[in-house]
Amino acid sequence: MSSNRSVEEPPRPRVRLVEARMSRGWSQQEVAERLGTTHVNVSRWERGVTKPNPYFRRKLCRLFGLTEEELDLAPAGPEIPGRGAQVGDGVAVETGGGGTGRGEQDLQRGPDSGPLGDAAGGRPAEAVIDPMIPLPPPVRLVGRDAELRRIKGRLFAGEAVALSALNGLPGVGKTSLAVALAHDPEVRAYFKDGILWAALGPRPNMTGLLSRWGALLGLPATEVAGLTSLEAWARALRTAIGPRRMLLVIDDAWRIEEALALKVGGAQCAHLLTTRFAHVATEFAVEGAAAIAELGEEDSLQLLRLLAPTAVDLEPERVRALVRAVGGLPLALTLIGNYLRKESYTGQVRRIRTALQRLSDARVRLGLTELRGPVEVHSSLQGEPALSLQSVIAVSDEQLSAAARAALYALSVFPPKPASFSEEAALAVAACSTDELDALVDAGLLESNGGDRYLLHQVIADYARARLEAQEEARAQAPFGRLVEYAIAYAEKHRTDYELLDRESAVIVAGLEAAYMLGRQEELVRGVVTFAPFLLVRALYGVAEQWLQRAQTAAQALGDQRGLTGVLLYRGQIALRQGDYTSAESYYQEGLQLARAQGDQERICALLADLGMVSWKRGEYGHAESYLQEGLWLARSIGNREQLCEVLATLGALAARQGNYVRADTYLQEGLLLAQAIGDRERICTLLLNLGASASEQGMFISAKKYFEQGLSIAKDIGHRSLMSALLNNLGDICLGQEDYNEAEHFFIEALQLARQIEHPEYISAFLLNIGLVARKRGDYQRAELAFKEGLNIARNLGISYLLYEGLYEYGNLCLFLRRFDDARNAFVEIISIAPRGGIDAIALAKYGLARVEASEGHLEIARQLANESVAILKALGHRSAKEVLEWLKSLKSI
């Protein structure tokens, strides 16, 4: 680098830019504030050390009303990517390892230029907006306009990674600023590929945060399973982000190691860190650290006026003195404002003045003596006359009754905001009444969303948890124990009501964590086995696997055979959904052996049903039939309607796969009536899917479409992405049969996107094959061949026979159309060689394919013989392709 700099010309000052500023009497700081950058940056531009990027050049031209040439800003020649880009701006930058090969115009457009970049194929890429980004507060942000402009300018400044840190006292409003930026339209437009959010705090679940980011970024579950360290997670997430332009917000970092573990963005990403510790900020962002100051007096008064207008109007000078005492901390002002509003809602002057008098007392502001014991006070606050954040919380805390205070400490066992918990959960875990909850809301220590749900701010949760843990062990652990009991009872009560489980899922996971922490193994096993089906429905395979492994260890330690069979059942289902049929069968066989030894007929039935599914997927129809018939007999014997629905659904699908549609519909209709009778929406959806597939195979497209649409509506209601993707695919198949290729492709692409999100390789393979079929019908043969080959490779790796012969059949048709007769013949012959026993429909279609190959080569008699054999099988099955083969035979006779 030094050798390169030695031959460069010295910087040339931009005299006209300086003159434009001086003519208006502005300082560099004033120009910087108008642009949303720093005076250091303006100084570098004027001295010629750096050049403003296109975004700031446009802003400078608008500010002075002059052109780039008139400001000495016009480029001397074509701009070279990676040169001349402004990266100073008081923000630490990082190249991310090498250039991207893209020009400055592409990398450095400002927010006023609109969204940047398109996804492959010319379609705009969908931004990843983290659902954990907190909602904007109901009271608008006061006194932070300048900070917002400066931070945005830093984030937009460089082509490389911008690292900006917000550090300041607890309660100064760092998170509020970060939330405002995350919702800012310009920020979202600039970071066109999305925003990720991680809330750390003093005890973050780093693996959980990284896992959630991985899920949002589409990190494959197979890759996640091998990530055992923070360094491995960082590499995987950085690869997943790649060239995307994203903002990664790391909120409330307490330790630099955890902050750096989340610095995983690529060369076009920015990282925004908030922390209460200056050393974390400076180490993370070096020169880019930005200290967030307290609010000024007038802004503080404005905030209090919004919260408690009656008190401010009544005693403006005393309120102004209180503002000075609390040092302008927004959280302190908010808590005090809430307290004053509660005391002034009646309009009684006595209550308002009494409240203000209490808040003016230094002993009240600084807290009681014991506050300095178990609760850590930030070193910068010790001995300060101003009211600290801990003291502000203590002001509200000390006004509570003993019961309300105990409730606050107990509520700290819940996951903090943005997670929420229900009133039912709060009452059970805190062992309190609604009076105590109302008191906490009135004190500003607990947030209500206006319904029956509550949120506990992270800072308040930290304070309350510290006070809880300072109590004797038995009292401290009691709320955790009640959380375990509530979470497991709730999961058991609502185990198939996925909407309710969704709402309380964070609480249930917290309950499982508490059971694990307390060593309550029996409850851990029970809770995990109950909650696992929900995690599978939501395709949270990594989370489910983690908990199932813990539950398996606990069940083995307890000798809990029933719990162990449940764990093995659901671990098998995870493996099945991920296409690992060997592992799935191993789990099922181990579980079946244990269940038979225990005489657990319910679990035997469930394991037989899933073993039948594995055998069917492998093309082992005989084994599948044997498992399923035993399961059917057992389900009828014990009267278990849920298991009976499951077995009937799989038997119906197996019969349809073998071309026995009458038998298939009998099984499926019986299963549908049962599922509707017990209100099992997941199984209703599965049965509608299989009934639609059977109808479609028979050419009854109107009925098939009706089944699929009913099933899709239910799947969306319960959030079952696996079933949603399958139903979308089958609706696309109907459109394909009606030659509506645009609509068919729309359904197939949507289905494929869902399948990739949930890492369902069987579905990915099937949907790729259908996309290839649409491309062939449209004449896009290159795209068709690529899709067929990708889908076939996945099917071969999985060993799924029906996908292989369906894919080979369509690939053979493509080769036949392209007059690659040898390739076509090889595909059709392979179908016959791999078709499972009972897969006569596959053999019939392969013979039809071979007939067309022979006809194309002039062997008409052989072609007629093969086609006649094919049509005889298809007509006997009632297969919809029989008509196509008959018409082809008629055309052959005319030759």
Side-chain angles (χ1 to χ4, degrees):
M1 181 175 296
S2 59
S3 60
N4 289 340
R5 293 180 66 91
S6 66
V7 299
E8 290 180 351
E9 295 180 1
R12 182 174 62 86
R14 295 185 173 91
V15 177
R16 293 177 183 175
L17 179 60
V18 176
E19 290 174 347
R21 175 174 62 79
M22 297 295 291
S23 69
R24 287 159 176 80
W26 291 340
S27 67
Q28 291 178 341
Q29 179 62 45
E30 288 172 317
V31 171
E33 289 178 353
R34 285 171 167 81
L35 296 176
T37 184
T38 67
H39 73 281
V40 175
N41 198 32
V42 174
S43 173
R44 290 174 177 172
W45 295 341
E46 291 182 351
R47 289 183 287 124
V49 176
T50 60
K51 180 176 66 180
N53 65 29
Y55 168 62
F56 282 109
R57 291 206 297 270
R58 286 194 294 272
K59 296 195 76 171
L60 283 164
C61 291
R62 286 198 295 268
L63 178 65
F64 293 113
L66 299 172
T67 65
E68 290 188 10
E69 289 78 7
E70 291 169 330
L71 291 172
D72 285 337
L73 296 175
E79 295 192 6
I80 302 171
R83 295 292 306 276
Q86 198 285 346
V87 297
D89 202 16
V91 179
V93 294
E94 177 177 283
T95 62
T100 61
R102 300 173 65 186
E104 180 179 292
Q105 184 177 6
D106 187 21
L107 289 170
Q108 292 194 303
R109 292 175 62 187
D112 55 344
S113 303
L116 307 176
D118 292 329
R123 295 179 294 102
E126 183 177 355
V128 177
I129 301 298
D130 196 328
M132 300 306 273
I133 297 173
L135 294 174
V139 177
R140 66 181 179 84
L141 204 60
V142 174
R144 297 304 191 194
D145 293 342
E147 280 92 346
L148 286 171
R149 286 196 302 270
R150 282 196 293 269
I151 296 165
K152 285 165 63 175
R154 290 180 176 181
L155 294 173
F156 298 157
E159 69 171 279
V161 181
L163 304 176
S164 181
L166 313 180
N167 66 283
L169 294 174
V172 79
K174 303 178 294 296
T175 296
S176 297
L177 278 166
V179 169
L181 287 163
H183 287 281
D184 187 280
E186 286 188 334
V187 171
R188 290 200 172 189
Y190 186 82
F191 295 103
K192 62 187 180 63
D193 295 314
I195 301 174
L196 297 177
W197 184 281
L200 297 185
R203 293 174 293 274
N205 179 356
M206 294 300 295
T207 302
L209 290 170
L210 294 164
S211 177
R212 187 172 61 76
W213 278 13
L216 290 171
L217 294 167
L219 202 63
T222 51
E223 185 176 353
V224 167
L227 302 178
T228 57
S229 67
L230 296 183
E231 293 77 11
W233 269 108
R235 287 193 295 271
L237 290 174
R238 191 172 290 111
T239 300
I241 291 172
R244 286 188 272 195
R245 179 180 291 172
M246 303 183 73
L247 175 63
L248 283 67
V249 183
I250 305 165
D251 183 44
D252 195 19
W254 284 51
R255 285 170 286 276
I256 186 61
E257 295 80 5
E258 292 158 356
L260 294 176
L262 291 165
K263 197 192 77 174
V264 296
Q268 296 197 69
C269 293
H271 298 78
L272 177 62
L273 177 83
T274 76
T275 178
R276 65 190 67 185
F277 305 113
H279 72 275
V280 173
T282 54
E283 188 170 351
F284 184 86
V286 194
E287 295 181 355
I292 304 303
E294 299 80 19
L295 291 178
E297 188 169 304
E298 295 305 318
D299 287 331
S300 297
L301 284 169
Q302 182 183 356
L303 176 56
L304 277 180
R305 188 177 295 279
L306 290 171
L307 294 168
T310 303
V312 175
D313 291 340
L314 180 66
E315 294 281 355
E317 290 307 314
R318 293 182 71 179
V319 170
R320 190 178 290 273
L322 183 59
V323 165
R324 297 191 189 105
V326 301
L329 289 174
L331 180 55
L333 292 164
T334 300
L335 291 170
I336 288 172
N338 289 337
Y339 174 72
L340 289 173
R341 185 175 70 252
K342 180 177 77 72
E343 294 299 312
S344 62
Y345 79 96
T346 62
Q348 290 178 290
V349 174
R350 172 184 56 80
R351 290 190 64 177
I352 296 172
R353 287 176 173 165
T354 299
L356 286 168
Q357 182 61 39
R358 289 187 59 79
L359 291 170
S360 67
D361 188 336
R363 289 171 298 177
V364 174
R365 294 200 311 269
L366 297 176
L368 301 178
T369 305
E370 59 264 23
L371 185 63
R372 301 286 181 168
V375 179
E376 178 185 354
V377 177
H378 197 283
S379 59
S380 65
L381 297 177
Q382 295 178 5
E384 292 284 338
L387 193 63
S388 72
L389 180 60
Q390 291 286 2
S391 298
V392 173
I393 299 173
V395 168
S396 296
D397 186 6
E398 295 302 326
Q399 308 312 308
L400 300 173
S401 67
R405 188 176 303 116
L408 173 63
Y409 300 165
L411 292 177
S412 69
V413 305
F414 284 114
K417 186 180 178 180
S420 66
F421 48 90
S422 67
E423 186 168 273
E424 176 191 9
L427 295 173
V429 172
C432 66
S433 71
T434 54
D435 290 341
E436 281 74 49
L437 297 182
D438 292 344
L440 293 175
V441 172
D442 289 344
L445 296 171
L446 184 66
E447 297 180 50
S448 169
N449 67 353
D452 68 341
R453 299 193 71 77
Y454 297 92
L455 304 97
L456 195 63
H457 192 280
Q458 178 69 63
V459 174
I460 306 300
D462 294 342
Y463 170 87
R465 179 68 70 88
R467 301 303 290 255
L468 176 67
E469 292 172 351
Q471 298 173 351
E472 60 182 67
E473 185 176 356
R475 289 183 62 193
Q477 290 188 357
F480 289 101
R482 292 193 292 267
L483 175 62
V484 172
E485 293 159 8
Y486 172 81
I488 295 174
Y490 187 93
E492 290 176 337
K493 181 179 179 181
H494 303 291
R495 61 192 181 90
T496 59
D497 194 329
Y498 300 124
E499 291 92 338
L500 290 179
L501 290 178
D502 245 338
R503 292 181 67 193
E504 217 70 299
S505 61
V507 172
I508 295 171
V509 171
L512 296 177
E513 289 280 6
Y516 184 69
M517 176 190 72
L518 296 174
R520 296 173 67 157
Q521 294 182 317
E522 182 179 348
E523 289 155 304
L524 175 65
V525 174
R526 203 172 93 231
V528 170
V529 171
T530 300
F531 195 50
F534 168 78
L535 295 174
L536 268 61
V537 165
R538 290 291 180 266
L540 299 171
Y541 303 134
V543 176
E545 182 67 21
Q546 177 189 20
W547 282 110
L548 287 165
Q549 287 178 7
R550 289 180 174 180
Q552 184 169 349
T553 300
Q556 289 169 338
L558 293 168
D560 179 359
Q561 301 302 306
R562 176 166 174 77
L564 189 54
T565 58
V567 169
L568 292 167
L569 172 68
Y570 295 123
R571 292 195 74 181
Q573 289 185 4
I574 292 172
L576 178 64
R577 284 164 171 76
Q578 294 179 331
D580 185 354
Y581 299 130
T582 301
S583 294
E585 184 177 25
S586 176
Y587 287 131
Y588 292 146
Q589 291 289 5
E590 183 180 353
L592 183 61
Q593 183 179 355
L594 286 172
R596 289 193 192 279
Q598 296 296 312
D600 189 338
Q601 294 179 310
E602 180 183 329
R603 286 283 162 73
I604 292 170
C605 190
L607 289 156
L608 286 169
D610 282 355
L611 278 166
M613 177 71 75
V614 171
S615 297
W616 164 38
K617 298 293 186 184
R618 286 177 155 178
E620 299 167 353
Y621 293 164
H623 288 152
E625 185 78 24
S626 176
Y627 287 128
L628 292 169
Q629 287 298 337
E630 183 184 354
L632 180 64
W633 173 85
L634 188 55
R636 293 193 195 281
S637 299
I638 63 177
N640 189 315
R641 293 189 292 177
E642 289 183 353
Q643 291 302 328
L644 187 54
C645 290
E646 191 77 23
V647 175
L648 287 168
T650 308
L651 273 170
L654 178 62
R657 177 60 58 190
Q658 294 174 287
N660 193 335
Y661 301 115
V662 174
R663 185 182 178 205
D665 290 346
T666 300
Y667 285 134
L668 295 172
Q669 289 291 355
E670 181 186 354
L672 182 61
L673 289 173
L674 274 172
Q676 289 170 336
I678 62 177
D680 191 327
R681 292 180 295 169
E682 182 180 359
R683 290 184 171 90
I684 291 171
C685 194
T686 300
L687 287 153
L688 287 169
L689 169 65
N690 290 346
L691 278 164
S694 176
S696 180
E697 287 295 322
Q698 297 173 72
M700 299 184 292
F701 298 120
I702 295 176
S703 296
K705 185 177 181 182
K706 182 178 178 181
Y707 286 130
F708 294 147
E709 288 176 341
Q710 289 176 349
L712 183 59
S713 176
I714 296 170
K716 287 181 177 179
D717 284 343
I718 63 177
H720 201 308
R721 291 188 291 173
S722 175
L723 286 170
M724 284 168 59
S725 63
L727 288 155
L728 286 165
N729 174 74
N730 286 10
L731 283 167
D733 190 52
I734 290 176
C735 294
L736 185 62
Q738 297 171 338
E739 299 184 354
D740 186 350
Y741 300 137
N742 287 336
E743 191 69 7
E745 185 173 44
H746 170 78
F747 280 123
F748 292 148
I749 289 175
E750 187 176 355
L752 180 61
Q753 288 172 342
L754 277 172
R756 290 194 190 280
Q757 288 174 13
I758 63 177
E759 293 298 323
H760 200 308
E762 177 187 351
Y763 284 1
I764 293 171
S765 174
F767 304 161
L768 281 167
L769 295 176
N770 282 338
I771 288 172
L773 182 55
V774 172
R776 181 175 70 80
K777 297 279 189 182
R778 284 177 155 176
D780 189 348
Y781 304 123
Q782 183 177 5
R783 185 184 178 201
E785 184 156 11
L786 288 173
F788 285 147
K789 286 184 175 180
E790 184 180 353
L792 280 169
N793 283 338
I794 296 172
R796 288 187 198 281
N797 290 334
L798 295 175
I800 304 179
S801 58
Y802 84 89
L803 277 179
L804 267 176
Y805 65 66
E806 287 181 359
L808 286 166
Y809 180 70
E810 296 303 340
Y811 181 66
N813 287 336
L814 173 66
C815 293
L816 188 60
F817 183 84
L818 296 175
R819 303 189 66 79
R820 287 161 38 189
F821 300 131
D822 287 342
D823 290 340
R825 179 183 286 105
N826 290 338
F828 297 135
V829 168
E830 186 178 353
I831 292 173
I832 296 173
S833 69
I834 66 170
R837 185 176 300 176
I840 53 177
D841 57 335
I843 295 172
L845 289 173
K847 288 187 174 184
Y848 172 46
L850 287 170
R852 286 175 289 150
V853 172
E854 296 295 342
S856 298
E857 293 182 335
H859 309 140
L860 300 184
E861 287 304 316
I862 299 174
R864 290 190 185 94
Q865 179 182 346
L866 288 167
N868 280 318
E869 292 174 6
S870 173
V871 78
I873 298 171
L874 294 173
K875 285 176 68 176
L877 294 174
H879 198 284
R880 64 182 181 181
S881 296
K883 181 179 178 182
E884 177 187 345
V885 182
L886 279 171
E887 290 177 354
W888 185 83
L889 267 171
K890 290 178 183 177
S891 68
L892 192 63
K893 291 178 181 178
S894 63
I895 298 177

